[in-house]
Amino acid sequence: GDGCGHVVMYQDSGTLASRNYPGTYPNYTVCEKKIQVPQGKRLILKIGDLDIESQKCESSYLTILSSSMLHGPYCGNVMPVPKEIILDSNEATIHFESGSHVSGRGFLLSYASSDHPDLITCLERGNHHTKAEYSRYCPAGCRDVAGDISGNIIEGYRDTSLLCKSAVHAGVVADELGGQISVTQHKGISRYEGVVANGVASQEGSLSDKRFIFTSNGCNKSLSLEEGFLSKSQITASSYWEETNEFGQQFLWSPDKAWLQVPGLAWASNHSSSREWLEIDLGEKKRITGIRITGSGSTMLNFDFYVKTFIMNYRNNNSKWRPYKGILSNEEKVFQGNSNAGDIVRNNFIPPIVARYVRVIPQSWNQRIALKLELIGCRVVQGNSSFTHSMWQRPSQSTEASLGKEDQTVTEPIPSEESNLGLTLTAIIVPVLILVCLFLFCGICIYAALRKRETKGLSYGLSNAQKSGCWKQIKQPFTRHQSTEFTISYNNEKETPQKLDLIMSDMAEYQQPLM
């Protein structure tokens, strides 16, 4: 049977594990996968863990076959297992086979291209590193690997946390792609918060000697706090619930209640439908890198409203609504929301959304659609492409082919306010210059017409003065012939003409008028 377990493979990196890892792998099973990186690159493999119950590698083992040689078999304690294998080719076949056994976790390995010599596996933790600052490359596929993390992106993570899983939780890398991480170590704190972010749940943690924090590009500020609380006109909804309690009191769960920083009620829709939406107008294009949402709140004891999953739409001025799609697929991305009414859940957008208008569209919920939210991001700055930071590495051309055109427009750099000012000045100056040119042209035309009129008047006077003498002396160059013959016939006097024969003399048009 299929002995492969967790497998995530991307063109630059990936992660493979045996079935049930880190539990016991099945008896009599085979896992065989071909892995490769782009042509012209060398393949780097790192074995994070290998625990195969076989002393002589007869029935259970792991091998790595490249075009030039076979690495392995690896099992038990027969031979030391290398932590890193660098192949001369860009592809290899991973083969794992098991026979009858009692225990054994199997294997977990990661790979990347030779562009990333600082590759680590999904199992490395913060306390495996001693430097105050360091940078490493996380492979794709570390989100669902077993192992605890404690902390959050703001205060940092307990040093016992898995590095790459924490990076996915922090929104520093996308699990589908992997990516470079930059880490700084700090003195530990007494307590680490447990929160859900990007599909990963961190656990509460106790005092530790050290903690690590991911460095970011700074585009992770609260857009509502940065700009001041947005007015009611800037947040709208498809509908909202007007609640009347048992005492006849009315409460409005209106869209202006949706801001996370505003205490009290949340926004709740009046209908239970996947077509309900909450829309935010940011006033101008912003780079939106994440969203934090919660439900009706833990203080609302009578209600347990929250959104379980949702999708995002976005648009700019005079454009259509577009769905936010997965980075490696053409399907709209479904984000994981809340599992209770009180906790705050964060999701990051990799790549970020660059838009003025965004909509949150709930897809599943508990009891009633209700949420409070906060958008995370920054202002758009010229030249600040969304892919300049390692967490937003642009996929290669082969990957871009799978991205929808909409996704590519999400991440295009937006002109700054200075360039907009230049365009505005140009729009004013050019029409003024055109008007000036038109006035000059009209003046020249009028002047020329007046001059021509004066000249005509002079020649006309001379003609009249000489007409009696000169005109008679001029011989007419043409003689007058028989006039043109017209034949117009009617069947009777009352009928309209039925036939018109018109025969013109060749010289008629040159005849002089009769004197």
Side-chain angles (χ1 to χ4, degrees):
D2 186 7
C4 298
H6 176 70
V7 176
V8 175
M9 295 190 295
Y10 176 57
Q11 62 181 14
D12 275 337
S13 66
T15 299
L16 289 82
S18 53
R19 183 172 292 280
N20 300 335
Y21 181 88
T24 304
Y25 56 89
N27 290 323
Y28 304 108
T29 188
V30 174
C31 171
E32 187 168 289
K33 290 288 181 182
K34 181 180 179 180
I35 59 175
Q36 61 181 13
V37 292
Q39 197 74 29
K41 310 292 183 183
R42 299 173 69 188
L43 188 60
I44 301 175
L45 294 100
K46 284 206 169 183
I47 299 175
D49 187 23
L50 188 132
D51 180 30
I52 299 173
E53 187 187 75
S54 176
Q55 296 302 316
K56 297 182 180 180
C57 300
E58 294 175 346
S59 60
S60 300
Y61 56 86
L62 174 73
T63 60
I64 300 165
L65 176 64
S66 69
S67 58
S68 58
M69 66 180 298
L70 176 70
H71 296 265
Y74 302 116
C75 67
N77 299 317
V78 173
M79 60 184 296
V81 178
K83 293 296 182 182
E84 181 178 79
I85 301 173
I86 301 177
L87 305 180
D88 290 331
S89 64
N90 71 315
E91 60 182 32
T93 299
I94 309 298
H95 182 90
F96 169 69
E97 191 168 326
S98 71
S100 177
H101 67 284
V102 177
S103 63
R105 294 184 301 275
F107 76 95
L108 181 141
L109 64 81
S110 297
Y111 71 90
S113 73
S114 51
D115 288 339
H116 309 293
D118 52 354
L119 169 72
I120 60 176
T121 74
C122 301
L123 300 179
E124 290 202 28
R125 300 178 182 271
N127 54 13
H128 293 167
H129 300 266
T130 56
K131 291 184 178 180
E133 296 183 10
Y134 57 91
S135 178
R136 296 292 185 270
Y137 185 81
C138 285
C142 289
R143 181 188 63 193
D144 298 326
V145 170
D148 291 342
I149 66 170
S150 298
N152 60 50
I153 186 175
I154 299 172
E155 297 175 339
Y157 296 85
R158 200 175 194 273
D159 63 347
T160 56
S161 302
L162 296 175
L163 274 170
C164 294
K165 191 171 186 176
S166 299
V168 174
H169 182 272
V172 175
V173 298
D175 185 58
E176 303 94 324
L177 303 180
Q180 201 75 25
I181 60 171
S182 296
V183 182
T184 57
Q185 295 216 56
H186 301 265
K187 184 179 179 180
I189 55 178
S190 59
R191 179 182 173 275
Y192 296 89
E193 182 186 17
V195 295
V196 177
N198 300 308
V200 179
S202 69
Q203 309 298 320
E204 289 191 3
S206 58
L207 173 68
S208 68
D209 182 44
K210 291 183 179 180
R211 62 190 164 111
F212 60 86
I213 296 176
F214 297 103
T215 58
S216 72
N217 66 347
C219 194
N220 54 5
K221 308 296 183 184
S222 169
L223 292 178
S224 55
L225 288 179
E226 181 187 42
E227 303 297 329
F229 289 116
L230 303 179
S231 66
K232 292 183 181 180
S233 62
Q234 290 179 297
I235 184 165
T236 55
S238 52
S239 67
Y240 64 89
W241 183 37
E242 298 182 16
E243 175 206 356
T244 303
N245 65 13
E246 56 185 354
F247 303 108
Q249 296 174 309
Q250 191 175 60
F251 299 94
L252 300 181
W253 295 63
S254 51
D256 57 290
K257 309 284 200 320
W259 295 118
L260 191 60
Q261 294 85 354
V262 178
L265 297 176
W267 164 69
S269 67
N270 195 41
H271 310 289
S272 292
S273 165
S274 59
R275 291 187 293 272
E276 297 294 306
W277 47 261
L278 183 71
E279 179 180 326
I280 299 97
D281 174 7
L282 293 168
E284 62 181 2
K285 284 183 181 179
K286 296 288 178 66
R287 178 167 279 106
I288 309 160
T289 59
I291 184 173
R292 300 171 71 223
I293 69 167
T294 187
S296 57
S298 56
T299 59
M300 306 297 293
L301 300 178
N302 296 331
F303 305 110
D304 190 26
F305 304 154
Y306 56 89
V307 172
K308 296 179 180 179
T309 59
F310 63 95
I311 59 175
M312 297 292 298
N313 282 7
Y314 66 93
R315 74 176 179 90
N316 286 302
N317 295 332
N318 304 319
S319 66
K320 296 180 180 179
W321 287 103
R322 294 176 174 178
Y324 184 85
K325 298 181 179 180
I327 195 168
L328 294 181
S329 72
N330 206 31
E331 302 293 328
E332 60 185 5
K333 184 169 183 176
V334 179
F335 294 92
Q336 294 299 314
N338 297 95
S339 57
N340 57 57
D343 290 343
I344 298 173
V345 171
R346 175 172 48 82
N347 281 278
N348 287 87
F349 305 129
I350 304 177
I353 297 173
V354 178
R356 174 177 174 175
Y357 304 93
V358 292
R359 277 185 179 179
V360 181
I361 306 175
Q363 297 297 290
S364 62
W365 51 89
N366 188 67
Q367 294 184 4
R368 179 184 287 273
I369 295 173
L371 64 85
K372 296 175 82 71
L373 62 79
E374 176 186 37
L375 293 177
I376 303 166
C378 59
R379 298 175 68 91
V380 175
V381 180
Q382 185 178 17
N384 181 19
S385 171
S386 55
F387 287 105
T388 55
H389 191 261
S390 61
M391 67 183 283
W392 299 326
Q393 289 288 337
R394 180 183 291 275
S396 67
Q397 292 180 355
S398 61
T399 307
E400 284 182 355
S402 67
L403 293 175
K405 189 175 181 181
E406 295 87 350
D407 294 314
Q408 294 179 21
T409 58
V410 174
T411 56
E412 289 177 356
I414 306 300
S416 66
E417 294 176 359
E418 288 81 357
S419 62
N420 289 337
L421 179 60
L423 290 172
T424 304
L425 290 173
T426 303
I428 295 172
I429 292 170
V430 170
V432 171
L433 290 174
I434 292 173
L435 285 173
V436 170
C437 292
L438 285 174
F439 279 125
L440 288 173
F441 180 74
C442 291
I444 292 169
C445 291
I446 293 169
Y447 177 75
L450 290 173
R451 292 280 298 173
K452 187 174 182 181
R453 186 172 181 181
E454 290 175 2
T455 306
K456 280 187 175 181
L458 181 59
S459 61
Y460 182 76
L462 290 171
S463 175
N464 285 340
Q466 298 172 354
K467 185 175 181 181
S468 57
C470 297
W471 181 254
K472 290 181 180 179
Q473 296 174 8
I474 299 175
K475 287 187 176 181
Q476 296 186 18
F478 306 114
T479 57
R480 183 177 178 85
H481 295 274
Q482 180 65 32
S483 65
T484 306
E485 179 183 353
F486 285 90
T487 305
I488 303 176
S489 61
Y490 297 92
N491 292 334
N492 56 61
E493 293 181 359
K494 294 183 179 180
E495 289 183 357
T496 57
Q498 297 295 322
K499 181 180 179 182
L500 174 62
D501 293 326
L502 179 61
I503 304 172
M504 302 291 292
S505 168
D506 292 338
M507 303 298 293
E509 58 181 310
Y510 297 105
Q511 289 180 3
Q512 294 292 333
L514 295 173
M515 297 301 295

